[in-house]
Amino acid sequence: MAGGDCSVVHEVPGRLRLRVPLLAEPSTDPRLLETWMETVPGVERVRVNRGARSLVVEYPPHLDLTATIRARLAAYGPPEAPATPPGRGSEAGMAPILGAATSLLLLPFLPPPAQRLLTFATVGSTLARGADTLVHRGVKVEVLDALAVGLSAARGQVYTATITDLLLALGEYLEQRTERQSDRLLRPEPAMAWVERDGVLVQVAGDEVREGERVTVGVGETVVVDGRVVAGVALVNQSAVTGEDAPVRKEAPRRVVAGSVIEEGRVVVEATQVGAETTTARISRFIQESLEKRSETQRMADDLADRRVYLTLITGGLVYALTRDLTRLESVFLVDYSCALKLGTPVAFKSGMYQAARHGVLIRGGQAMEHLAAVDTVVFDKTGTLTHSELAVTDVEVVAPDAGCTAGDLLALVASVEEHASHPVARAVVDAARERDLQHITHGEVDYLVAHGMSAEVRGERVVIGSRHYLEEHEGLSFAPHQPLIDGLEEAGKTLLYVGSAGEPLGLVALRDTLRAEAAAALTRLRRPGGGAADNDHR
């Protein structure tokens, strides 16, 4: 049975409920189905109710995702073999917890025979999972859980059995919830794309773009393919992919990579790598593999927990042989901590990765986390780590000695024109002029060439500001005589803004990413413990 055999039960803006007969199949893992549907661009939350055989999808109300969601669901197919053993381990959500809690509320009002029936119905999934584990995988923690719960239920200790089952369900739910929150935060979110098909722009999911198609990307939108610009010009922020702190001008036939964001302008990109071959898809696979890779500590915890099961069973057997007391045997099984040992370790790693990601630190799986204690060298990419990813003016150089212009005059002039733009370089120049309390210089109408520069009439002279390419190739100015000055500024890692007036070079404004105030102290702290070194990579 495929996921396409579904029907819409209820639909309102931002919320869709579907009837999914596939959920009646024992081989269907609700967690896999939820994860499958969460990859639809725009989807914010997915909930499966296996009992009602329904799927609820939530998304922003302004989006119309009904067709996309149904198409994604139609493409789903359950694995040939169950991903997890049958029983509560393959049940997602709150159902086991609610079932056990409801049983606890009903038990006081039922006669003893009914209490036993209800208890066995409640713990049935735990017993079934234990039996299945014993048959297919041998003596594991699940077998011990089933023995502890089953022995209590068989002796008529309905409250003990139900409470134990409730605690087991709660522990598994917390583990699943932590994993899902961590995975959702750590995986890059998919984006939508505007694709030209049959002469019309249509919006599709980023992973549905085909090689050779042309994608139109505007201001604030994310590039979803790797490709080359075939039309238009734009300032592109590639910091999420390359770490560059300043936006880069892109025009035909320059290459763009998935994950970049358009800050100004508009481009048409011909896709050369799509879907799983894009830069962001490779990053996503890297993160996915990291999340699924178990650390040595996790493997040791699992092995230790499984070995403790044998120790617990032998201890229980000895206790019963010496005392002939089932209550003591039951106590041995109930107080064993193998389950906590096995569940606690992966949850601790997942929770640590989740908390780190919330603070802007991406950890490559549990193996990387457990190796942190042995680190003796740290290499930093400065952008966004040691710096704020915010440009600041560092130098203002006047290169026309006869212009009668000081550095302050040049900065005031550039800021007066650049205040009409919104890109990071313009904002940094305007902020620098305000900090120095420089006066605004009156000018004529500003002409703006996207991703190149600006020009305006000032005191009867045309002033041009922008990239070296713009001033030399488009305006005919030459900065070659000032090459030593330019080389020195660029070698210091600075971004340059070129200024010309009256057909001659006028000056340079240099900008660089701002260092975090706490960077030096942080590096000092890293060097101190254990005598390790911390290398600052300023590339």
Side-chain angles (χ1 to χ4, degrees):
M1 182 181 294
D5 302 324
C6 65
S7 58
V8 176
V9 177
H10 182 65
E11 181 179 7
V12 296
R15 190 172 183 273
L16 180 66
R17 181 184 291 274
L18 297 158
R19 181 87 63 197
V20 185
L22 184 68
L23 289 169
E25 297 292 323
S27 61
T28 301
D29 189 333
R31 289 177 299 177
L32 294 180
L33 180 58
E34 287 181 354
T35 302
W36 177 267
M37 297 305 298
E38 284 173 350
T39 60
V40 175
V43 168
E44 296 176 341
R45 188 181 180 193
V46 179
R47 290 181 291 112
V48 168
N49 186 331
R50 187 161 194 165
R53 300 178 187 176
S54 69
L55 174 75
V56 178
V57 184
E58 297 178 10
Y59 47 90
H62 65 276
L63 295 181
D64 183 9
L65 297 181
T66 303
T68 304
I69 291 170
R70 297 194 67 171
R72 180 66 175 171
L73 184 59
Y76 179 78
E80 295 182 3
T84 57
R88 187 176 51 244
S90 61
E91 297 284 335
M94 293 286 294
I97 299 174
L98 293 176
T102 303
S103 296
L104 284 175
L105 293 175
L106 294 176
L107 285 175
F109 306 100
L110 298 176
Q115 287 181 340
R116 289 201 174 195
L117 287 176
L118 179 60
T119 300
F120 275 106
T122 301
V123 304
S125 60
T126 300
L127 300 178
R129 183 174 53 172
D132 181 84
T133 301
L134 181 62
V135 172
H136 294 97
R137 298 168 53 210
V139 179
K140 304 291 182 182
V141 171
E142 293 80 5
V143 176
L144 187 59
D145 293 340
L147 280 174
V149 173
L151 184 58
S152 298
R155 299 187 63 214
Q157 297 175 339
V158 293
Y159 290 100
T160 301
T162 305
I163 292 174
T164 303
D165 193 71
L166 173 62
L167 293 175
L168 290 172
L170 181 61
E172 291 182 6
Y173 172 75
L174 292 176
E175 179 193 17
Q176 294 169 11
R177 181 178 175 82
T178 302
E179 288 184 357
R180 291 173 61 80
Q181 287 180 337
S182 303
D183 293 354
R184 186 178 293 119
L185 180 62
L186 294 170
R187 292 191 181 101
E189 289 292 328
M192 303 293 286
W194 289 98
V195 180
E196 182 180 327
R197 291 180 178 173
D198 299 325
V200 179
L201 282 179
V202 295
Q203 191 176 36
V204 300
D207 57 1
E208 294 179 5
V209 180
R210 297 188 289 267
E211 185 176 343
E213 287 189 318
R214 295 192 171 190
V215 181
T216 300
V217 194
V219 176
E221 296 179 343
T222 301
V223 180
V224 299
V225 298
D226 291 355
R228 296 193 178 276
V229 177
V230 294
V233 60
L235 280 177
V236 181
N237 187 333
Q238 303 180 134
S239 59
V241 181
T242 66
E244 295 175 273
D245 54 1
V248 180
R249 178 172 54 86
K250 297 288 186 179
E251 58 184 337
R254 296 191 67 183
R255 181 175 177 268
V256 292
V257 294
S260 304
V261 178
I262 305 298
E263 290 199 350
E264 286 189 7
R266 189 180 184 88
V267 290
V268 178
V269 179
E270 183 175 317
T272 57
Q273 291 179 304
V274 298
E277 301 303 318
T278 64
T279 302
T280 50
R282 292 196 294 270
I283 293 174
S284 180
R285 283 200 300 274
F286 164 80
I287 296 175
Q288 177 65 34
E289 291 170 1
S290 299
L291 290 172
E292 294 175 352
K293 191 177 296 183
R294 298 199 314 167
S295 68
E296 183 64 27
T297 303
Q298 288 175 273
R299 288 192 292 269
M300 290 176 60
D302 287 348
D303 293 341
L304 181 59
D306 288 336
R307 287 200 298 269
R308 276 199 54 83
V309 173
Y310 290 98
L311 179 60
T312 301
L313 292 175
I314 293 171
T315 302
L318 291 174
V319 168
Y320 182 72
L322 294 173
T323 64
R324 299 295 176 177
D325 188 342
L326 287 175
T327 301
R328 294 179 184 271
L329 174 61
E330 181 184 332
S331 299
V332 172
F333 292 157
L334 288 175
V335 300
D336 180 83
Y337 57 84
S338 297
C339 183
L341 179 65
K342 194 167 187 176
L343 292 179
T345 304
V347 169
F349 275 103
K350 283 283 188 177
S351 180
M353 294 169 64
Y354 173 72
Q355 292 298 327
R358 288 188 62 186
H359 290 82
V361 179
L362 185 61
I363 298 177
R364 186 184 174 179
Q367 287 184 333
M369 185 180 293
E370 67 182 358
H371 290 158
L372 283 176
V375 168
D376 59 4
T377 302
V378 180
V379 180
F380 287 98
D381 178 344
K382 68 178 185 304
T383 305
T385 308
L386 300 177
T387 63
H388 288 284
S389 294
E390 296 177 359
L391 294 174
V393 173
T394 59
D395 303 88
V396 180
E397 301 285 351
V398 179
V399 299
D402 301 329
C405 176
T406 66
D409 295 335
L410 179 61
L411 181 60
L413 173 64
V414 175
S416 299
V417 178
E418 288 284 347
E419 68 179 1
H420 297 278
S422 59
H423 55 77
V425 173
R427 290 196 296 269
V429 172
V430 172
D431 290 343
R434 287 174 178 168
E435 289 173 1
R436 293 165 174 79
D437 198 24
L438 300 178
Q439 297 298 313
H440 180 273
I441 297 177
T442 304
H443 56 79
E445 184 177 351
V446 175
D447 292 325
Y448 180 50
L449 187 60
V450 174
H452 286 81
M454 309 175 73
S455 64
E457 193 82 12
V458 181
R459 302 190 186 102
E461 298 286 351
R462 184 168 179 267
V463 175
V464 289
I465 306 167
S467 65
R468 184 173 184 176
H469 169 83
Y470 169 53
L471 268 67
E472 292 190 337
E473 300 296 328
H474 293 257
E475 299 295 333
L477 281 68
S478 175
F479 282 81
H482 312 289
Q483 193 61 46
L485 173 61
I486 293 172
D487 290 342
L489 294 172
E490 290 182 338
E491 286 175 5
K494 298 176 181 179
T495 299
L496 301 183
L497 192 62
Y498 295 79
V499 188
S501 177
E504 297 292 336
L506 179 58
L508 299 167
V509 178
L511 307 96
R512 187 166 59 187
D513 202 354
T514 53
L515 189 69
R516 292 181 182 270
E518 66 274 16
L523 292 177
T524 301
R525 289 201 306 271
L526 283 173
R527 288 189 178 99
R528 191 178 302 130
D535 297 328
N536 185 2
D537 185 351
H538 282 283
R539 290 176 295 173

